[in-house]
Amino acid sequence: MQNIAILGATGSIGQSTLDVISLHPDKYNVVALTAHSNVEKLITQAIQFQPDYLVMSDLNNYSVIKQAVQSANLSCEILVGEAGLCQVASAPNVDSVMAAIVGGAGLMPTLSAVKAGKKVMLANKESLVMCGDIFIQEVNKTGAQLLPIDSEHNAIFQCLPNQFEYGNLAASGISKILLTGSGGPFLTRSLDSFDEITPDQACAHPNWDMGRKISVDSATMMNKGLEFIEAKWLFGLNSEDIQIVLHPQSIIHSMVQYADGSVLAQMGNPDMKTPIAHCLAYPNRIHSGVKPLDFSQLADFSFQVPDLLRYPNLKIAINACEAGQYATTTLNAANEIAVEAFLSNRIAFSQIAHVNDEMLQAVESQNLHDIEGVLALDKQVRAQAKKFIGMLV
């Protein structure tokens, strides 16, 4: 029986994780569930899974969650804020942590799980984007097991050789990592109409069911840029080791190209329950509830090079990756503020890239040696981005 804490239980990854767990009640025990503000959904989950802890990261919801727990006759302990998230992520009775909080808010709880030596199923890519070097150093120091949940990185992980040598593709017989992306909902939309894109249109992904922030990132292809950065740290890669390929059907989730000319691809229906099940059971396999591919129904596999005029955020992210940690920390903070402004109809879709580029130009190159420096820069950039957006409105 594996004891699990789910950080971000009410989001799409958290709900999918609970769906998989519900298929295997003899294998997994939910110890902790966390949410930001969705009390109703969290209580519904708690009634079904009976965790020891419930955490609300929004401090303003403490009285609401307390009353709801009493009304539902639940016996779980209630914790709040970042401190509560970090407490359950590192709790002695937790074996595995699903790190599924969206954005920079997930960094400290995920890092707490790593420092406690847990099995960490990483869906919070921002942890590596914000402080990849520090994060990987902690993984190596504590012996935490880091397993990638993002479908692309999970696909790469599945296609790597058993004796993969971190940071040395040549020694593993690998020539390149092929990171696939769908291109989002605006793959063929006229560029001169991008200023007219609405939040609902940007969130209508053609293949994946995701939260609104990640959906917008997919539409701008910032999500692929963040995944580019994440891949660097997960597998010890250089920028030239990674090639981004557009694959609109989202059936091939990513590929590994070997020196002998072979290419191994991981395929499956676009459903996050597949990589979740893979990481929950690793190195074994369990049923995920996802229908297998029916190859007789696959009419087309197409691939193309991403158009950087259509996806300026992708180029911005790759440049940030090459510039170093300060730049990727800056980019993540700026993008979160810019996407939030777009979703609240304060800036146009095309202005997201403008905000991100402006912040990268404004922040001076610097060395980030510790988490305090990362958090200070993150706070500084968010304030600058909000001020800049105020000037645009």
Side-chain angles (χ1 to χ4, degrees), residues 82 107-108 111 115 130-131 134-135 138 325 329 366-381:
E82 185 179 272
L107 171 60
M108 294 308 293
L111 196 56
K115 288 182 176 181
M130 290 176 69
C131 62
I134 297 169
F135 194 92
E138 286 293 342
Q325 186 65 80
T329 301
Q366 56 194 273
N367 293 320
L368 299 177
H369 300 294
D370 51 40
I371 194 67
E372 289 77 18
V374 169
L375 295 176
L377 179 59
D378 177 79
K379 182 178 180 180
Q380 171 197 328
V381 173

Side-chain angles (χ1 to χ4, degrees), residues 94-320:
V94 169
D95 304 313
S96 304
V97 175
M98 172 58 73
I101 296 174
V102 176
L107 171 60
M108 294 308 293
T110 306
L111 196 56
S112 293
V114 168
K115 288 182 176 181
K118 306 297 185 184
K119 170 183 171 180
V120 179
M121 296 172 282
L122 187 67
N124 174 259
K125 64 176 64 68
E126 291 82 1
S127 294
L128 289 175
V129 172
M130 290 176 69
C131 62
D133 190 28
I134 297 169
F135 194 92
I136 294 300
Q137 284 184 40
E138 286 293 342
V139 169
N140 293 332
K141 183 192 302 183
T142 65
Q145 185 180 32
L146 188 62
L147 298 174
I149 290 292
D150 271 349
S151 61
E152 295 82 359
H153 303 93
N154 184 265
I156 293 166
F157 181 59
Q158 292 193 50
C159 293
L160 291 174
N162 291 333
Q163 302 305 317
F164 174 69
E165 185 176 328
Y166 182 89
N168 192 342
L169 294 190
S172 302
I174 297 170
S175 59
K176 190 170 291 186
I177 299 298
L178 301 170
L179 192 64
T180 63
S182 70
F186 308 130
L187 180 61
T188 60
R189 180 167 176 146
S190 173
L191 290 177
D192 60 14
S193 70
F194 268 37
D195 282 346
E196 302 166 12
I197 291 172
T198 68
D200 285 345
Q201 290 172 337
C203 291
H205 196 282
N207 302 328
W208 294 95
D209 180 17
M210 304 178 292
R212 288 176 72 80
K213 193 272 180 181
I214 298 176
S215 294
V216 173
D217 282 348
S218 179
T220 66
M221 279 202 80
M222 175 56 81
N223 200 44
K224 202 56 50 184
L226 298 180
E227 288 171 3
F228 187 99
I229 299 165
E230 183 182 7
K232 169 188 175 178
W233 293 111
L234 277 174
F235 307 114
L237 307 177
N238 297 312
S239 293
E240 58 268 23
D241 297 327
I242 312 169
Q243 179 181 343
I244 295 176
V245 180
L246 292 189
H247 170 53
Q249 295 78 24
S250 297
I251 297 298
I252 294 177
H253 301 304
S254 275
M255 299 170 275
V256 175
Q257 181 174 299
Y258 284 84
D260 60 6
S262 300
V263 177
L264 297 188
Q266 190 271 338
M267 305 167 64
N269 281 313
D271 192 318
M272 287 305 297
K273 289 194 284 290
T274 295
I276 289 168
H278 176 256
C279 291
L280 279 170
Y282 183 80
N284 301 311
R285 299 274 182 170
I286 57 172
H287 180 54
S288 67
V290 178
K291 292 181 180 180
L293 281 177
D294 182 351
F295 284 88
S296 68
Q297 300 300 310
L298 298 181
D300 185 29
F301 271 19
S302 60
F303 305 92
Q304 63 191 81
V305 175
D307 176 2
L308 297 182
L309 290 177
R310 180 174 295 275
Y311 304 113
N313 269 312
L314 181 57
K315 181 61 175 175
I316 291 170
I318 293 172
N319 288 343

Side-chain angles (χ1 to χ4, degrees), residues 316-360:
I316 291 170
I318 293 172
N319 288 343
C321 183
E322 293 170 346
Q325 186 65 80
Y326 86 93
T328 59
T329 301
T330 296
L331 176 64
N332 182 74
N335 185 64
E336 287 193 24
I337 298 301
V339 170
E340 179 184 312
F342 166 68
L343 286 172
S344 59
N345 292 299
R346 288 186 290 124
I347 63 172
F349 181 81
S350 57
Q351 289 179 304
I352 296 173
H354 180 43
V355 172
N356 292 336
D357 188 52
E358 184 71 21
M359 291 302 100
L360 281 171

